[in-house]
Amino acid sequence: MQKKRPSPLRSLRVGLAVILGVIVYAYGFEITQIDLAELRSEQRQTSLVRVLRALAQPEFLEFEREEQAVVVPVYVPCPAEGSLPKVEPAGTDGQRLTIDPACGSPGDVVRVEGAGFFPHVEGPVRFVPGSDPANSVQLGRDVAQTDGAGSFSVSIELPDRQSEDVQYIRATMRRNVGAPQITRTARDTWGKIIETVFLALLATTFGTALAIPLSFLAARNLMKPIRSPLASIALSALGWPAGVWIGLQVVTQISRLSTQLAGNSLVNLGAVLVSAAAGWTIVRWAMPPEEKTEPGRGLRMARVGALLGATLLGFFGLLQLAEFTAGVSLTIQPMLGLAGFLATFLFQVSDILRIGTPLMGALVSGSVVGNLLGRIGQRAAETRPAGSVRLINLVTAAAAGATIFALTGALIEWLYQIGRPEFTLWIPMAVGSGLGLILALFSPVKSTLPVGLVIYSVTRTILNSLRSVEALVMAIVFVIAVGIGPFAGVMALGLHTIVSLAKLYSEQVESILPGPLEAIRATGANRLQTIVYAVVPQIIPPYISYTMYRWDINVRMSTIIGFVGGGGIGFLLQQNINLLNYRAASAQMVVIAVVVSIMDYLSSVMRERYT
């Protein structure tokens, strides 16, 4: 076999690539200021050893301590010749401390010897300038170790603290007595790690609940087949904001009526029960399980009106449930004692119902109006002649474009407070109307447009944009909104969980087997039935796995957002690091590592069980 001759050009390219790589990494060293001389610095090594030793002794247990402290005078520098007073060995209660020589210049080494101290203990030997024993100066190797007889000998270097007055060397020895006790740091750490776990749990729960529906909107294989005529899309775009506004107004009026019945729990409970029973009866009548004959137009309209009434009753019942829950929580709180958090939870649930019911009403109303107008547009596009459809497309597309751009301009005005309606209202409306007309003119009259891909692209863009923002930044915003504490952490981690899980879930939906989808669609199933019977059975195991993994992530991330006031153990960890209390910080880091390890084990067990 003929041997391939080396190519000079190839060798040159390899050489140039190597040189370029060296230049890149050399510049990287320059930018990142890598300097190993700093690592070899004696001062930095001393500080590093001190910190590592502190981190290796987490502050979980403590003892009561006995202390022996003795000071001996020293002169820096030496007084004039012949004026140095005689320095006797200092001591109390049998302890003796001597220094030789008793004076010196800054930088001189003196010998400090002690006797009669606790055996086999260690303690600091420090220089005390002036007459203030609390104002001590740390010396080089200022730790002395006593032997079995309680004696020690250590050499120290006098610092540059010159004074004509007498100064002191102080030796302090301590020993543990009694049984070990749990430290205040350990108790605080326990409370904060429990707070961290539940912070992550709530954020994961709320985030998962919202991420699941968003994941279907962000799945390309589900959204790509969705197509609608332009008239249907335009009318839906007009119906949604109108429906949201109508829903808010209606539910607000219902809320005012509900408030008038507040304060009487029995009345509130009765209203809840009556609303539930009446609503269920109406729904059963309006949506019978089977039809013996084709209902007439009048009956269909009556059923629609009945469903509308049942929906209003449902909102009224939810608001009455909020009033009932608030009343019960205030009544039982004094009786619960240590379990008073249950009453607080009930009160917060009532507050969630008060806030969430108008939002729910707005979404329901927007969905109903948008779908109704969309069906009208769909039917018009299918049944009317091409000329009429062209006119409908022009009018509705122009109106929808103007509405969408006007709402966008209103958002810009709210954010930036421009104060120029011509720039934030009229010009956007004109541009949106023009784009709508162009779309209607150049699109085929009765063709369908890929509205599903548009929704998919918008949803993906929003998710990607929010996911690029770290939870730490979100926590800063929510700390401003709700104050320092774990509530801000729950909101920040919850939002980050939504966008992260929605992406993971949607990618899992996109990777499901297409066979079940095609089989369910072939039976004539609608989109909801397709998702329930063809998609959900395939995604339950990975959804559980991703959710447990996200809980694990949120536990670890909560230690970071605590640095900006987001609650959890991170806030305590930051305080101890700032105060250079490395033993306490070590205790928190050990607990974090243990909890994360337990979470990882539980997550692996859950994944193994359900996958």
Side-chain angles (χ1 to χ4, degrees), residues 439-512:
L439 179 61
L441 286 172
F442 288 96
S443 62
V445 177
K446 291 201 171 188
S447 65
T448 56
L449 300 179
V451 62
L453 284 180
V454 173
I455 296 174
Y456 161 81
S457 301
V458 172
T459 305
R460 278 278 181 166
T461 301
I462 294 174
L463 293 179
N464 291 335
S465 300
L466 290 177
R467 200 175 68 255
S468 65
V469 180
E470 284 296 328
L472 186 67
V473 179
M474 295 180 181
I476 294 174
V477 175
F478 285 118
V479 162
I480 298 172
V482 300
I484 292 176
F487 184 27
V490 170
M491 297 180 72
L493 285 180
L495 179 57
H496 204 268
T497 297
I498 291 171
V499 296
S500 298
L501 284 184
K503 175 180 170 56
L504 293 175
Y505 289 167
S506 64
E507 291 177 349
Q508 189 61 42
V509 172
E510 290 177 347
S511 64
I512 63 175

Side-chain angles (χ1 to χ4, degrees), residues 93-148:
D93 298 332
Q95 296 90 46
R96 293 176 60 83
L97 190 66
T98 60
I99 180 172
D100 184 31
C103 68
S105 300
D108 289 351
V109 176
V110 297
R111 192 75 178 172
V112 179
E113 296 181 349
F117 289 89
F118 298 133
H120 302 300
V121 297
E122 67 176 19
V125 178
R126 298 195 172 214
F127 180 82
V128 183
S131 58
D132 183 8
N135 186 22
S136 61
V137 177
Q138 181 177 355
L139 303 173
R141 294 178 56 85
D142 60 346
V143 177
Q145 177 75 46
T146 62
D147 56 20

